[in-house]
Every structure is written in structure tokens, then in C-alpha cells.
Amino acid sequence: MLRDDLRNVAIIAHVDHGKTTLVDAMLRQSHTFRENQAVEDRVMDSNAIERERGITILAKNTSVHYNGVKINIVDTPGHADFSGEVERVMMMVNGVLVLVDAAEGPMPQTRFVVQKALEMGHRLIIVVNKIDRPDARLAEVQDEILELLLELDASDDQLMSPVVWCSGRDGTATLDINTPGKDLTPLFETILNHIKPMEVDAEGPEQILCSSIDYNDYVGRIGIGRIERGVVRAGQSVVVTNYNNQSLRQPGKIVNLYQIEGLGRVNCDQAKAGDIVCFSGLEKINIGDTVCAPECVEPHKFVKITEPTVEMTFSVNDSPFAGKDGKWVTTRHLHDRLFRELLRDVSLRVEETDSADSYRVCGRGEMHLSILIENMRREGYEFQVSTPRVMYRYIDGQKYEPVERLIVDVPDEFSGAVFQSMGNRKGELMHMSAIGSRTRLEFLIPARGLFGYKSEFLTSTKGEGVMNSVFFEYQPYKGDLVRRSTGSLVAFETGEAVTYGLYNAQGRGALFIGPGTPVYEGMVIGESPKNEDINVNVCKTKHLTNTRSSNSDDALRLITPKKMSLEECLEFIGDDELLEVTPKNIRIRKRILDSELRAKAAAKIRKGLA
Amino acid sequence: MEENKTAAGGEHSLSIENTKRISATGIEGVQGFSPTQFTLIYAGGKIVVGGSDMKMTTFSKQTGAFAASGSITSVKYLASAAGIKNRLFK
């Protein structure tokens, strides 16, 4: 049976190339909203962090109707760290829009995601977006896309993919760059014509591949996926199995069945092969499971998702100020929250450790884990995290480490500085080319060489550089790296920081805190230029004797403290330090708070090394 | 400057035009690039190029092609350690 009343399309693109803005425009032009309905500008980004960072983190589904055809649109994460999501979404659709910024051209994430789509034989539509940009390079970008497809061995059909020139912001599209578009009709028409309707088997026994999971307090866990075969009805009994665990046979019942209409979910009694549906009632359903008719239990193949490469230890907050800000502070809270995240995030791994208070959390990069930390923090959790470490592998007794492909676009004058940094971080130059007045450099660099490089890169390129990395492969260990050449200023008294104490401390290095900040012994309050820790007392007040008056304190000028973001703190902390995360504060602390115990431990390590 | 053919590895050649543009083939890596000096790695060892206001314009590890522009004043071939050892213990 030919489903020519339906198209399932994913939009894949690099961070900030305008993916969600284009979906907003498509929704508006297909009259999904009533005229007077107030619509926030980024319709599909419901997560607050996504709005702040302007990136899509979770793949969301929506649909529009055009000329009697329902087009299911699946928005995919734009950041390389969430690629677990992208691979799953590829299973739900049979065509993709490859969105590329008219000025930046194809970047690492575009390369990674297009490779996934090509591997699955999907038909492509190239959407060059933001053509309204003054620095748009239309001809060059089209060549760069063709070069990318050639490099990724696209088939002839894929090489001949149509190109649509769009401006998501203005809501216009055109097939010929010389004739400006009036609306998105050319884009809708190209989707209908170029992406073939699916050939489906609506008579066979039911089969749904679960590609995504959601959670709702009323109906519990919701599975999302495409019906691969048959007609599924609400209230139907089914059996759940899994391609990678074929012995799994979980009987259950589909209590509620929903189809996607616009941005919402609409209850429906039945849906047939090809439809993307949401279903509840199967409490243990998981990503990659197949829901089958009881009489024909046949698991559906599920794409292998690449392993995480970076790990951190999450533990209960045991600092002196623990429990002051957070609502959820115990190990039970931390455990439940982390294991619940596993349900929704395929790229994450959480393992218990020998200590009941800490958990080993593995993800696909620093950003992946930092967004999880930020989410938990805003939900009222309080905990501590260690510095990010890469996950090594041992093959034939030899140590291997994850290596990333890094693409850097910088103004010419800064390429030397980037080169210098790459040399120190064991990056190997693979490719270099000039793009207008900018230079594009491509390196292979160990994942641990990238820790802390983002802020250094933005500083050395005066904010004009663009940097993106994607996991490449595991390669033999490339030797030790000097991670941080600076030490920490450590408070050795608990109390409140005062101007007099800070004034003396600021002579030893850059401070992170200002007067009036509560501190505890072992808390890191600044960075010292020398590669050793310095204990300072920022709570020291001036002894008031009759020869000095109290108000001469005002003459002390303090340098503005360096406010560090969550990412900068994660980049800063050493192996002997932890990051204390609470809803209101982020504090860096030494693992061993007591300064004497810490000195003894350091001496023992030095003796051990001698 | 004449071509310097090496037996081992890809075909290596190097040419300088009016001391303003340098291009080479058979280049396996680039180390420590700066406006006054950079080091190229090729099958036979290293090539240290000195000059001023130098800027890299092209490099591809896949094809081994390299090009740079600026004012080039010196080019020095350094044989790799293996090369020296072979010559010593012939």
C-alpha cells in the first residue's frame, strides 16, 4: 500500500544554522496556529536551556498539512554531543532536509549527521538557509556541499539532490537564486515531489519501532516511533521485544494512542503503517524496543549508537555548606534522577561505584554532561562533580584513547595562535584551506586535549573563531598532556570574605569571589599563576587599635572578581578538586578540605613519585 | 630551487617562486607554524623554512600538498634520526 498522504521528514543541521526557526515558519505558513494565537519565536524549543543557548537538545516531533498531505517534521539536535538522538530519529523518517548556513557552509555536525542519513539511504533536500545574510557565499557553499557529499560517497541519486534557497526568518524559499521567494511553497512542493511516499504493509501483523521516549505524570512512560507494519489500535494487547535482546518477551497493552498534530498530540483510535505515533501503557518500554502483535513477535533492526567518550563522577554534596540551597540532596534523589535521565538519553551511561554516595556518569562530551548538570541544578538538586576524564580502552594490552575531529574557522591573523595551542594539545593538522579572509583548519586531536580549550580558543581569536568537534575514532595513547599550569588560591578559614582579607589575597592571583561571600576551609577562591596551591585567609579582618581608624578600610581597591560559568569551572578544576553545584551557587573545592591533611597527602604523593 | 627527490614515501618536491611563494608535495605533517618559521615533515625527515610575514595557504595530509606565502629566506633539510643512523652504520 502506498502512503501518498504522508511524508516523514527530519531536519538535520549544525548548531545555530536556523533549523528551529525554519520549522516555526513552516508551521505558521501551514496555518497550524490560529491568527491571534500568541506564538513565542522559537516554537519547538520548549526547554529553557535550549532557548538560552539557542541550540536544540531534544529531538521533537511536529506535523503540518499541505495539499492534503501530512508532513511529519522531526527536529534533530544540532550539537555533536547529542548524536545518540540523531541516529534514532533517522529510523523514523524516510527523507531529510540538510540545512546549511549560507555564510558558514557545512560544519562538523552537518558532516556527521549527513553521513548517518546517507548510510541509511535517505533522499536529501539541500536547504541553504539564511540567504538574507550580508556575508552569504551562495555559490561557494553549494560547491562545499557537493564536495561534502562526494567525500561521504553519496550515491548518484543523493548527489543530484535538489537545492532550495531559504530564509527561515523571512519565511521565504526559492528554487532559483535569482528570483526571490514569496513564501515557503517551493520548499513544501520539493518535499512532496522529491521525497517518495512510503510503500507500507498495512495488512501484516502490527510492528512499531520505538525510537524515542517521553514521560508524563498521568499516563507514565510514552513511547514514540513509526508503525513499520499493520494497523495499531488503542487498547490492543501487544508483546515488546528488542533486536539486541531477542529473549525479551514483555506482554502488555497499548492504553492510549496519539498522533501528532501541529505541536500537540491528539488521541486517536487507530493508526496504520507509516504513521509516527505516541503510545502509553507499556511501563517498561525502552528506546530500541519493538512493539509487536502477540501472534508474530519479530524485533526490528536498531541502529548501533556510538559509545560515550567522557566520564565524570557525580556524588552527594558533603561540603560544609551542603543542604543550604538544594531541595534534593540525598544519594537516593541523585540515584533516581540520574537513572531517570537514562530513559530519555540513549548516549548516557550511569553506573554505581563502590561508594554508595557517588555515581560514574559517561556521556558524549563535556557539553553533553554540562547540560545535564545545569538541568539538574535548575530542578533543585545539589551535588558534586569531578573533573571530566576520557574513557580509555585497552586493545591487545595497548592503551587507546578517543580522538575527535576538530574543525576551526578563524580570521587569518589568529591561525598562528590556534596552531600553537594545537601543538601543546597534541593536535595533528589534517587539512588547511583559505575561505575568503578566514582560514579553515582541520585537526585530529585527543578528546582530553579539548578539555578547557573552548574558552582559550575564544580568547585567542578575540571571539571571532568558530570551533566544532565530533568524535572520530579510538587511537593509541598519545602521551601525557600538561592540563593546567596554574595553581589554586585556597581559603583556610571558614567565615565571610572581607575586603581586607581579599586585598591581601588578590596580590597572589585572580580572585573568583567578592567581599561578603561565605567561604569554608578548603574552598578554592582564586587562581594562582604559579603551578602550586596557596592557602590564603580571606576572612582576616584588620585589628582595630587606637592608632588606626576603622574607615581607612575604604581606601582598599579590589579588582573585580572573575565570574566563572559552569563550563569554565569544569575546565578549571584539577584532579584533586571537585565542583560543588547547588541551585544558587557553583563553588570549587579541594577534595581534602583540611589544609594539613591535604599537605600530608601531597607529600605522600611526592614521596611515592620520587 | 631544484627538486629533492626521496626514495622513501610519497613523491616529494619543493619549489619557491621569487622567494615569495613556497609549495611542496609529499608533506606528511606541519609542526609549529609561525610567521617567521615552520617545520614540514616528509618521508625523509624534516624541512625547516625560515622567513618573515609567512602565512600558510594550503595543506592536505591526504594529498600531501602544502603551500605558503610571505618572504622566504632559508630552507633547511634535516634528515630523520633513522636516516642518520643508517648512514652511520652502513
Side-chain angles (χ1 to χ4, degrees), chain A residues 412 419 428 430-432, chain B residues 33 55-59 61:
Chain A
D412 288 349
F419 224 89
E428 184 192 358
M430 300 302 291
H431 189 79
M432 182 265 166
Chain B
F33 189 94
K55 189 185 102 160
M56 189 175 6
T57 49
T58 310
F59 169 68
K61 186 177 173 88

Side-chain angles (χ1 to χ4, degrees), chain A residues 57-75:
Chain A
I57 298 171
L58 300 175
K60 285 177 278 308
N61 298 356
T62 182
S63 73
V64 296
H65 289 268
Y66 180 78
N67 283 1
V69 176
K70 178 177 183 183
I71 303 174
N72 277 318
I73 304 171
V74 185
D75 189 9

Side-chain angles (χ1 to χ4, degrees), chain B residues 3-61:
Chain B
E3 275 178 294
N4 182 332
K5 291 232 171 335
T6 62
E11 189 65 35
H12 167 67
S13 70
L14 185 139
S15 71
I16 299 178
E17 295 159 39
N18 309 322
T19 72
K20 289 288 177 272
R21 267 176 306 282
I22 180 171
S23 55
T25 61
I27 299 301
E28 294 169 1
V30 179
Q31 278 180 353
F33 189 94
S34 79
T36 55
Q37 177 174 304
F38 56 84
T39 305
L40 305 178
I41 300 164
Y42 78 114
K46 292 185 177 177
I47 310 165
V48 180
V49 180
S52 56
D53 301 329
M54 291 194 292
K55 189 185 102 160
M56 189 175 6
T57 49
T58 310
F59 169 68
S60 168
K61 186 177 173 88

Side-chain angles (χ1 to χ4, degrees), chain A residues 158-407:
Chain A
Q158 288 165 335
L159 282 175
M160 302 306 293
S161 303
V163 180
V164 185
W165 310 87
C166 287
S167 166
R169 196 187 50 183
D170 306 339
T172 60
T174 176
L175 298 179
D176 169 13
I177 193 55
N178 303 315
T179 53
K182 293 186 292 303
D183 54 23
L184 288 174
T185 305
L187 179 58
F188 285 124
E189 291 293 337
T190 307
I191 291 173
L192 261 51
N193 304 330
H194 187 63
I195 297 187
K196 291 194 205 119
M198 281 175 290
E199 185 62 46
V200 297
D201 167 8
E203 269 71 42
E206 300 77 28
Q207 190 187 46
I208 312 172
L209 175 63
C210 179
S211 295
S212 197
I213 291 279
D214 202 353
Y215 188 80
N216 176 309
D217 292 336
Y218 307 104
V219 297
R221 192 177 292 179
I222 299 174
I224 303 164
R226 184 174 75 182
I227 301 176
E228 300 298 327
R229 191 178 53 211
V231 174
V232 177
R233 290 174 185 76
Q236 176 180 345
S237 335
V238 290
V239 170
V240 178
T241 182
N242 187 295
Y243 184 78
N244 301 315
N245 172 14
Q246 310 228 351
S247 60
L248 175 70
R249 285 283 189 284
Q250 247 163 27
K253 193 168 132 175
I254 293 184
V255 174
N256 295 307
L257 193 61
Y258 310 90
Q259 284 226 31
I260 298 155
E261 283 305 333
L263 280 171
R265 290 176 185 146
V266 174
N267 246 299
C268 66
D269 297 333
Q270 68 173 43
K272 50 182 184 283
D275 287 326
I276 294 179
V277 291
C278 312
F279 48 91
S280 69
L282 301 170
E283 260 323 294
K284 291 205 167 48
I285 187 78
N286 214 326
I287 292 164
D289 285 353
T290 311
V291 179
C292 313
E295 66 274 13
C296 170
V297 179
E298 189 193 334
H300 193 282
K301 197 168 185 316
F302 190 70
V303 64
K304 176 104 183 55
I305 288 167
T306 32
E307 293 299 307
T309 55
V310 171
E311 67 174 276
M312 278 193 206
T313 308
F314 282 50
S315 45
V316 173
N317 185 9
D318 59 4
S319 83
F321 291 168
K324 286 190 173 165
D325 300 345
K327 215 166 35 181
W328 319 104
V329 292
T330 67
T331 188
R332 174 52 53 199
H333 293 141
L334 191 58
H335 172 279
D336 293 349
R337 177 61 181 83
L338 288 174
F339 281 86
R340 199 168 67 232
E341 188 71 17
L342 281 184
L343 283 179
R344 202 174 291 177
D345 189 336
V346 169
S347 313
L348 200 70
R349 294 278 182 284
V350 179
E351 292 156 16
E352 288 171 354
T353 61
D354 36 31
S355 145
D357 289 344
S358 57
Y359 301 90
R360 183 166 169 254
V361 181
C362 313
R364 288 278 290 272
E366 249 180 315
M367 180 157 187
H368 186 199
L369 295 178
S370 75
I371 282 188
L372 169 62
I373 293 169
E374 187 68 37
N375 268 326
M376 289 173 66
R377 182 175 170 235
R378 292 177 184 209
E379 290 161 16
Y381 284 84
E382 205 179 289
F383 53 98
Q384 289 174 163
V385 291
S386 71
T387 185
R389 297 179 301 274
V390 289
M391 297 167 68
Y392 297 110
R393 282 187 188 166
Y394 289 86
I395 303 167
D396 310 333
Q398 190 180 1
K399 188 175 182 179
Y400 277 66
E401 65 175 318
V403 169
E404 305 243 338
R405 174 199 294 271
L406 172 73
I407 290 190

Side-chain angles (χ1 to χ4, degrees), chain B residues 41-90:
Chain B
I41 300 164
Y42 78 114
K46 292 185 177 177
I47 310 165
V48 180
V49 180
S52 56
D53 301 329
M54 291 194 292
K55 189 185 102 160
M56 189 175 6
T57 49
T58 310
F59 169 68
S60 168
K61 186 177 173 88
Q62 228 167 342
T63 62
F66 172 86
S69 61
S71 168
I72 293 131
T73 52
S74 71
V75 173
K76 190 190 300 180
Y77 274 81
L78 306 176
S80 63
I84 296 171
K85 211 180 297 171
N86 297 346
R87 262 189 268 132
L88 282 178
F89 303 104
K90 204 171 280 184

